[in-house]
Amino acid sequence: MKVVLLSGSKVGSKTRTAMDYTKKAITEKYPDAQTTLIDLAEYDVEFSDGRNYLEYESDTGYVTKTIMEADAIIIGTPIFQASIPATLKNIFDLLPVNAFQDKVVSMIVTAGSSKHYLIAENQLKPILGYMKAQIVQTYVFVEEQDFHRMEITNDDVLFRIDRLVEDTVVLTETYTKIREEKEASYGF
C-alpha cells in the first residue's frame, strides 16, 4: 500500500509537525506501508496551466505523479484567512478531475482558532468529492493551543491522529479488496 502524506503549505510549522507525527504513527503501526511525506515547503511547484499532470517535470512532476500513484492520501492543511492555502489548491488544479478515484483521502487541519472548524467540511470535502475521493468522514482538527515548541501537547489530538491513520489504512485495504473481487468476477 502506498500512502502519501501531503503537507499543503509553504509556510508555518504546525501542519508539518502534525504530519511528522502522522508519518511516525503509520510507519510504527503499518511498517509494510510505503509512506511518502511531501511537504510543499520543500518543493518548487509550478502554477497549474492546464497541461496534463504527466507533462510537468522537476518538482511539479514528482509531486503530482507521486500523488497519482498513491493508494491513500492524508492531506494536512492549515487554515489561512478562513480558507485552504493556495499552494494546496494549486495541487488540486494540477491533477485531473478523477485524480482521487479509487483512493482513500483523509485530512488533518491546523488552525489558530476553533472558528475555522468547518472549513474542511465546506471547502476541502467538496473538492475531494468532486475529484472522486473515498473520503474518511472524520478528520483531525488541531488548534494553536494544542502545540508547544513544535510538539503536539494534547494527548487527545495524538489519539485522534492515531485513529485517523487506522481508519485510512483499514478503508484503503477494504476498498482494495472489494475492487479486486469485483474485477475478478468479470473473468477476463
Side-chain angles (χ1 to χ4, degrees), residues 5-18:
L5 291 88
L6 179 63
S7 186
S9 178
K10 284 191 155 299
V11 297
S13 62
K14 291 175 183 62
T15 301
R16 175 60 190 257
T17 298

Side-chain angles (χ1 to χ4, degrees), residues 142-155:
V142 192
E143 291 183 67
E144 179 92 24
Q145 66 192 15
D146 298 320
F147 292 94
H148 182 69
R149 295 186 180 180
M150 297 183 65
E151 293 283 330
I152 298 172
T153 56
N154 183 333
D155 288 338

Side-chain angles (χ1 to χ4, degrees), residues 8 27 36 40 44 48 60 83 89-90 97 99 108 127 137-138 142 153 171 188:
T27 55
T36 304
L40 293 180
D44 185 20
S48 172
T60 307
S83 185
K89 178 61 169 80
N90 185 51
V97 68
I108 298 174
I127 294 168
Q137 291 302 309
T138 57
V142 192
T153 56
L171 281 172
F188 56 84

Side-chain angles (χ1 to χ4, degrees), residues 107-110 117 138-142 157 160-162 164:
M107 299 167 281
I108 298 174
V109 178
T110 60
Y117 181 76
T138 57
Y139 55 93
V140 177
F141 185 82
V142 192
V157 170
R160 288 185 285 129
I161 291 173
D162 289 341
L164 183 77

Side-chain angles (χ1 to χ4, degrees), residues 23-118:
K23 183 174 182 183
K24 179 178 176 244
I26 292 172
T27 55
E28 286 177 0
K29 191 164 185 177
Y30 304 99
D32 292 338
Q34 181 183 337
T35 308
T36 304
L37 173 59
I38 296 174
D39 184 347
L40 293 180
E42 297 173 355
Y43 295 91
D44 185 20
V45 177
E46 298 172 57
F47 284 112
S48 172
D49 61 15
R51 283 184 278 167
N52 184 296
Y53 77 96
L54 294 169
E55 296 176 34
Y56 289 94
E57 298 177 359
S58 302
D59 287 351
T60 307
Y62 169 76
V63 169
T64 56
K65 290 171 186 132
T66 302
I67 290 169
M68 290 297 291
E69 293 170 0
D71 300 306
I73 302 163
I74 300 176
I75 296 173
T77 183
I79 302 301
F80 296 143
Q81 304 295 353
S83 185
I84 63 173
T87 51
L88 180 58
K89 178 61 169 80
N90 185 51
I91 295 299
F92 298 145
D93 292 344
L94 287 162
L95 299 172
V97 68
N98 62 350
F100 300 135
Q101 188 166 345
D102 299 331
K103 296 179 192 321
V104 172
V105 180
S106 56
M107 299 167 281
I108 298 174
V109 178
T110 60
S113 112
S114 61
K115 294 177 185 175
H116 298 301
Y117 181 76
L118 291 176

